[in-house]
Amino acid sequence: MVHKQLNKAMAAYKKAWELVYAGTDSSGYSRRLAQEMQKLVQGSHGVFRYGTEEEMRVTLAKLEDVFIELLPQYPSAKTRLSSLVQHYSAKSQYDDAIRLYRKLLAVQPDDINVYYRLASFHMSRHDYEAEIAVLQQGADRMPDHWAIHFRLGQAYSRRAAEDTSEKDKRQAISHLEKALRLCKSSTQKRSIQYYLTKAQGIKVN
């Protein structure tokens, strides 16, 4: 019953924001409706909630879906997704943040910042394999973007230092050298060179 009511509420919530984003909310009714809907899942201190902890997770996941669906037509919906990410970060709910960014990546596969943020949450969990996989996905899509190779080089360096892996060290050096070739900024080049030198000095077996 709770989930049925929640689905109905979310449908109304989505429709309200569609009108707000479309600029057709001349009377302000939809904005007020959206704000009232927000109160259903928001505590007095801005912490999202809905019943039990499991019901709260269901609610938040549905909120994600509402704004993910609105995003292609209404880019302003991204600010609401950012609020959810901030909530997850504040509570160290990295799995939930990762879920959201994977959804976001499906609709914005050319947004390099989504790859960075998703990779960062994997790094926060010390899951270097997942971090590298996400960044490699970005590099495959945007092979000439120096920054993605820079981040990949750093990720491989972290794993090489931890696992003393010769293969990871070679990968780190390769990506950092590529970043150095592609980068046009002298300031950024100095930063890349710093990490490249560090990678070259990693002790491996």
Side-chain angles (χ1 to χ4, degrees):
M1 184 65 177
V2 169
H3 293 319
K4 186 175 181 180
Q5 291 173 334
L6 183 57
N7 287 337
K8 186 175 180 180
M10 287 298 160
Y13 188 63
K14 180 185 175 186
K15 183 62 180 177
W17 277 109
E18 281 179 337
L19 294 174
V20 171
Y21 289 140
T24 56
D25 182 32
S26 58
S27 67
Y29 171 76
S30 293
R31 181 172 291 278
R32 290 195 298 275
L33 173 59
Q35 289 168 345
E36 287 302 310
M37 292 297 302
Q38 190 85 359
K39 290 177 184 177
L40 291 177
V41 290
Q42 198 169 22
S44 59
H45 300 292
V47 178
F48 292 100
R49 69 182 181 191
Y50 190 92
T52 66
E53 184 175 341
E54 179 56 31
E55 287 171 340
M56 181 185 75
R57 287 181 178 273
V58 170
T59 300
L60 292 175
K62 287 184 177 295
L63 275 175
E64 293 169 15
D65 292 339
V66 165
F67 290 108
I68 291 287
E69 288 175 23
L70 290 170
L71 191 59
Q73 189 173 358
Y74 306 110
S76 298
K78 200 165 189 176
T79 59
R80 296 285 159 176
L81 292 169
S82 296
S83 296
L84 286 170
V85 171
Q86 289 170 8
H87 168 72
Y88 295 144
S89 297
K91 298 179 73 67
S92 300
Q93 292 176 308
Y94 300 134
D95 287 345
D96 294 321
I98 287 167
R99 179 193 64 230
L100 191 159
Y101 274 117
R102 288 199 177 281
K103 290 178 183 178
L104 195 52
L105 200 58
V107 296
Q108 294 192 321
D110 294 319
D111 187 340
I112 198 164
N113 290 315
V114 177
Y115 292 97
Y116 292 164
R117 289 166 186 158
L118 178 54
S120 293
F121 278 109
H122 284 305
M123 184 183 70
S124 297
R125 299 174 63 204
H126 301 283
D127 189 347
Y128 301 132
E129 184 174 350
E131 177 193 12
I132 288 169
V134 168
L135 291 171
Q136 186 60 60
Q137 185 182 352
D140 290 343
R141 194 166 184 93
M142 293 167 276
D144 296 326
H145 201 303
W146 71 268
I148 200 83
H149 293 286
F150 182 37
R151 291 291 294 269
L152 260 172
Q154 291 175 303
Y156 274 114
S157 291
R158 279 190 288 273
R159 196 166 73 173
E162 188 170 290
D163 299 343
T164 62
S165 164
E166 175 67 35
K167 182 179 179 181
D168 284 342
K169 178 179 178 178
R170 289 198 304 269
Q171 286 280 14
I173 291 170
S174 174
H175 282 289
L176 289 167
E177 287 178 339
K178 187 165 186 177
L180 200 59
R181 291 195 301 272
L182 291 170
C183 184
K184 305 299 182 186
S185 165
S186 58
T187 301
Q188 296 291 358
K189 279 179 177 286
R190 284 195 293 272
S191 181
I192 297 167
Q193 184 61 60
Y194 169 78
Y195 282 98
L196 177 57
T197 301
K198 281 187 67 175
Q200 290 166 337
I202 293 173
K203 303 292 184 184
V204 295
N205 294 327

